Amino acid sequence: MEDVLAAVGPRLKRIRQQRKCTLAALSETTGISVSTLSRLESGQRKPSLELLLPIANAHQVPLDELVGAPRVGDPRVRLKPVRHGDSTVVPLTQQPGGLRAFKMVIGTSRSEPDPRTHEGYEWLYVLSGKLRLVLTEHDLVLTAGEVAEFDTRLPHWFGSTGESPVEILSLFGPQGERMHVRAKPRRT
């Protein structure tokens, strides 16, 4: 038991660093002081459920991963879809902050533009259906296989054309972080 508890601190630090999250950012997300988080990671403070649950939630990892419980049972990843009216959002990334990936099925009721702005950068890929994208003065319709990328500080909105649902992949990142696609050129 002591060995398991002793390994929790280094594991917490490794998970936080893999997600490129600072102690200050984790403190802000969890409400746990920076000093308490630091003492947990260094092994100077024993982990408790009251401390581990908010950390697991912030990193979006199972509690088992934080404490190093052995894996058993079904190896499939169980994604948790979130419903918003007739639309569904499935978070594909587990860590908070940085680049986030989502699969979205946007229903026909989300077809009236309501442009917004916020910090970040977005990359959209249409899997099926037709996506209506309003970006500043542009009003575009994208179909399966088409991609759009834009600075979210520009007024934007995306949704269904109203004819049928649209299925998309969305990658969203902090301001200044852009997607870079690297592929070999095709020879003709």
Side-chain angles (χ1 to χ4, degrees), residues 110-116 132-134 139 156-160:
R110 185 171 157 186
S111 60
E112 285 301 314
D114 182 19
R116 307 273 170 111
R132 182 173 177 202
L133 171 63
V134 175
D139 193 340
H156 67 282
W157 172 91
F158 58 88
S160 163

Side-chain angles (χ1 to χ4, degrees), residues 2-22:
E2 285 300 314
D3 290 341
V4 171
L5 288 176
V8 171
R11 187 174 293 106
L12 291 172
K13 185 174 186 174
R14 186 179 66 252
I15 289 170
R16 178 181 58 79
Q17 289 175 336
Q18 285 172 343
R19 286 160 172 70
K20 296 182 180 16
C21 183
T22 64

